[in-house]
Amino acid sequence: MSRHRVFKDNDILTLASIPATSVLIEALIPRKLTTVSFLESIKDLDIIKYSFTATILTPLYLDIVRKSIEGNNIDVSKYVYEAINNIVTNPFIRTNTALGYLLLSIPLTYSLIKCSLTLSQKEITCLDNVRKCVGKVTIDLLKRSRAKSFYSTLRMLRPSYTDVFVGIIPDINYSGNIELSLFEVLTYSAYMDLIAKELIDGYPLTFITLKKLRSLCSEINVKCLLDLSRVHDELIANVLDSEGLKLRGLTYMRIIQDLVNNCLKHEYLRERIKSLLRNEKLNLGTISDILANSIMLHLILKFIEERVS
């Protein structure tokens, strides 16, 4: 029998703060080879902008948590659009800090809360059960979400790697009415977009990374952040980052992966490779999005397992 849980007001505030803060926690990880890493910036991104991002996102996640508890559906595309609009119009940010993370974490946050209301205490401590449940809820959310607001988000940001969708879905400049669901757009994009594939396939990398995180960190603290810099390196070495792939090409990214693998084997090469990647202004943001999503998953599950009965 599933044991239904009741979330108090303080629980709801805590649950909403976790996804909002996780994007900042990931940016605080020191010694990363690329992306924002504590006091090290990349391109137009720095830790101050992620600090403001976390604050801006808290009310949005609070609404998502409440809607999940109440059993009300959400349109993921609309929430992503609202969040990005709030981020890029904020005078202390004015740039995209979280698109990939929002696409991952909004449906995962909603799904985790919904699944926690039906899974038993024993079931929710089994990651296979959790992944199966959140994967099913996420697909349902994506099918109910319309792609129109997602296209509006892309037009607002105009990232250089999304000028044209290859395949049967419309280019982002298409001016007609877009009747597709977000699920359809992501499905057709998943062949070369890691965020889309992660959502459609039920968060495989997020859960794999979670297991690694759990083996290293009993708590998210300073020591844990130091350990997570290596997890970030391992993701770069083993996973093709979508932004890097689209902007630099497959051959370039394979060379980067070889360099990072050498860095993992020979610590004395770290600073040299790190300097090279940062001079190249290579921002492997998709990798950081996956890691931030795993941190969020870890913290929400830990909260539910320990404090909610």
Side-chain angles (χ1 to χ4, degrees):
M1 288 288 292
S2 295
R3 181 168 30 173
H4 291 278
R5 295 174 175 82
V6 176
F7 291 106
K8 300 176 183 178
D9 287 345
N10 283 344
D11 295 331
I12 293 171
L13 287 171
T14 300
L15 287 167
S17 72
I18 291 172
T21 307
S22 293
V23 69
L24 173 60
I25 293 173
E26 194 283 331
L28 282 168
I29 296 172
R31 301 183 72 245
K32 286 187 292 183
L33 296 173
T34 180
T35 72
V36 173
S37 181
F38 189 38
L39 299 182
E40 295 183 278
S41 59
I42 189 88
K43 295 184 177 179
D44 60 345
L45 300 170
D46 58 40
I47 199 65
I48 302 300
K49 292 178 180 179
Y50 278 95
S51 300
F52 279 102
T53 297
T55 303
I56 286 171
L57 292 180
T58 302
L60 176 130
Y61 285 109
L62 183 59
D63 192 53
I64 290 168
V65 170
R66 284 176 172 157
K67 279 189 165 56
S68 183
I69 292 170
E70 294 165 359
N72 296 323
N73 287 313
I74 63 169
D75 188 319
V76 175
S77 294
K78 288 183 178 179
Y79 276 90
V80 171
Y81 177 85
E82 178 186 343
I84 290 295
N85 185 61
N86 290 341
I87 287 169
V88 300
T89 57
N90 183 282
F92 299 105
I93 306 175
R94 295 193 184 282
T95 189
N96 170 30
T97 54
L99 176 59
Y101 176 71
L102 288 164
L103 280 167
L104 290 171
S105 64
I106 287 174
L108 184 55
T109 299
Y110 180 97
S111 301
L112 279 169
I113 303 304
K114 183 169 183 177
C115 290
S116 75
L117 295 172
T118 56
L119 294 176
S120 68
Q121 193 71 15
K122 182 178 179 180
E123 288 171 329
I124 205 152
T125 59
C126 174
L127 290 183
D128 288 340
N129 288 334
V130 175
R131 185 184 166 200
K132 182 178 179 181
C133 183
V134 298
K136 182 178 179 181
V137 176
T138 293
I139 293 299
D140 183 62
L141 277 180
L142 297 177
K143 288 181 176 179
R144 292 171 180 267
S145 300
R146 310 313 304 165
K148 182 178 179 180
S149 294
F150 179 58
Y151 271 74
S152 296
T153 305
L154 293 179
R155 293 188 192 107
M156 186 194 325
L157 296 176
R158 297 207 66 84
S160 57
Y161 54 84
T162 56
D163 279 345
V164 178
F165 280 120
V166 179
I168 67 173
I169 52 178
D171 165 56
I172 65 170
N173 296 313
Y174 176 67
S175 59
N177 192 26
I178 298 172
E179 299 290 347
L180 296 170
S181 68
L182 184 57
F183 173 79
E184 290 172 299
V185 170
L186 294 174
T187 298
Y188 295 134
S189 305
Y191 68 98
M192 67 175 300
D193 188 294
L194 187 59
I195 299 295
K197 184 171 176 56
E198 187 73 358
L199 286 161
I200 298 302
D201 290 349
Y203 308 100
L205 280 173
T206 297
F207 276 83
I208 289 170
T209 307
L210 169 66
K211 291 177 182 178
K212 183 70 175 179
L213 191 160
R214 283 184 164 185
S215 72
L216 294 170
C217 306
S218 57
E219 301 285 342
I220 301 293
N221 52 28
V222 173
K223 181 183 181 303
C224 174
L225 292 184
L226 289 168
D227 291 334
L228 288 180
S229 66
R230 185 173 179 87
V231 176
H232 193 268
D233 295 348
E234 290 172 352
L235 281 169
I236 295 173
N238 294 294
V239 178
L240 281 172
D241 181 273
S242 299
E243 294 180 45
L245 180 62
K246 293 172 186 176
L247 288 172
R248 306 294 181 98
L250 180 59
T251 300
Y252 180 94
M253 288 304 299
R254 289 301 189 198
I255 293 171
I256 295 300
Q257 288 185 311
D258 286 343
L259 287 172
V260 176
N261 268 308
N262 285 330
C263 175
L264 289 167
K265 294 173 185 175
H266 308 289
E267 180 64 24
Y268 70 90
L269 292 174
R270 163 171 281 279
E271 288 305 315
R272 189 181 302 175
I273 293 172
K274 179 179 173 183
S275 177
L276 171 66
L277 296 184
R278 291 195 173 274
N279 285 338
E280 285 278 296
K281 299 190 183 302
L282 183 63
N283 183 32
L284 303 181
T286 309
I287 298 296
S288 286
D289 294 334
I290 296 290
L291 183 51
N293 205 42
S294 301
I295 292 169
M296 182 207 76
L297 176 59
H298 170 68
L299 291 172
I300 288 183
L301 286 177
K302 185 177 177 63
F303 178 80
I304 292 172
E305 290 169 9
E306 292 183 355
R307 303 191 185 185
V308 183
S309 60

